[in-house]
Amino acid sequence: MPAWANKMMEPLKEEGIDPPEDLIKIITPLGDKGAAEYLITLGVNKTVEEIIRYTDEIARDAYENSIPLKNGVLEFLQKTKEQGIYTAILTASPHRFIDPCLKRTKAYDLFNDVWSIEDFGTLKKDQVAIYQAVAQKIGCDLKDITFFDDNIIALQTAKKAGCKTVGVFDGTSSDLVEEIKKEADKYIYSFSQI
């Protein structure tokens, strides 16, 4: 999250626009295109394509070389794979970033599926329909999905769709911990807690 959040703040900084306090909360479920569209509404004087190209250059190195997995994730994924538990990612990050990051950290092959919102057309993580589409792809009921996320809007939407939810600590949403705890069915500070 910090690398993605930082890259999305740069167009605002470059143009001297003060970001709203809840910027990260708003743009996280939107993906790059949706976030770029939102930045334009705040006054960024670039096209969506220009914003994405600009922010990609800022973040590329971090995704390819330095972003770590959250504490306990690799061990959690290894255990779920050994136990035959289906796992997938649904991320707002594009494949061009998330795939190399997951491969570098040895997590990619531990998932049954890796999806970006770009795989679901115009759907975003703040829309119930994307969780319905995921359930359909997996071939299960929404009530049988446990959704982990550090973004309160995505958690609220997944819960509204019928998923069980687990809030995950992230520094970018540390001011929302208590609010996320109230919304999610469970809250963790580390995947080693599971």
Side-chain angles (χ1 to χ4, degrees):
M1 272 306 300
W4 191 83
N6 289 341
K7 83 171 190 161
M8 298 316 281
M9 296 289 265
E10 283 304 314
L12 295 171
K13 287 181 191 171
E14 183 182 73
E15 296 196 33
I17 300 168
D18 290 329
E21 275 186 36
D22 57 353
L23 176 70
I24 301 307
K25 177 176 146 182
I26 293 168
I27 66 173
T28 298
L30 303 180
D32 283 0
K33 184 175 184 286
E37 290 167 349
Y38 181 71
L39 295 181
I40 290 169
T41 70
L42 297 177
V44 173
N45 191 24
K46 287 181 169 49
T47 66
V48 167
E49 294 76 20
E50 288 169 335
I51 292 171
I52 291 172
R53 268 196 310 275
Y54 177 69
T55 58
D56 275 5
E57 287 309 310
I58 293 167
R60 186 175 315 283
D61 181 61
Y63 277 89
E64 291 177 357
N65 298 303
S66 63
I67 294 174
L69 292 174
K70 288 186 180 290
N71 185 30
V73 167
L74 195 61
E75 296 80 6
F76 172 75
L77 292 171
Q78 289 166 337
K79 284 180 186 174
T80 58
K81 182 129 182 135
E82 288 167 10
Q83 294 172 6
I85 298 170
Y86 176 94
T87 58
I89 285 182
L90 172 62
T91 179
S93 296
H95 281 291
R96 67 186 178 278
F97 285 153
I98 196 66
D99 292 356
C101 183
L102 291 172
K103 288 175 182 175
R104 174 182 51 79
T105 59
K106 310 287 189 254
Y108 189 89
D109 292 331
L110 297 174
F111 289 100
N112 295 84
D113 285 298
V114 175
W115 293 311
S116 166
I117 61 169
E118 65 191 12
D119 298 320
F120 294 88
T122 60
L123 296 178
K124 309 284 186 266
K125 286 174 65 179
D126 64 350
Q127 297 173 301
V128 167
I130 200 166
Y131 303 98
Q132 293 166 337
V134 165
Q136 186 175 17
K137 280 183 178 277
I138 296 170
C140 71
D141 292 332
L142 282 159
K143 66 178 176 52
D144 297 324
I145 294 174
T146 301
F147 178 75
F148 295 76
D149 210 299
D150 52 31
N151 180 269
I152 191 164
I153 294 172
L155 286 163
Q156 289 168 331
T157 309
K159 190 168 189 163
K160 190 185 301 180
C163 301
K164 295 178 205 82
T165 57
V166 178
V168 180
F169 176 79
D170 190 85
T172 58
S173 56
S174 60
D175 59 326
L176 297 171
V177 168
E178 293 308 314
E179 193 177 340
I180 292 172
K181 283 181 179 179
K182 288 177 189 166
E183 292 289 336
D185 296 312
K186 183 175 175 68
Y187 188 85
I188 60 171
Y189 288 90
S190 164
F191 276 80
S192 59
Q193 292 177 252
I194 300 173

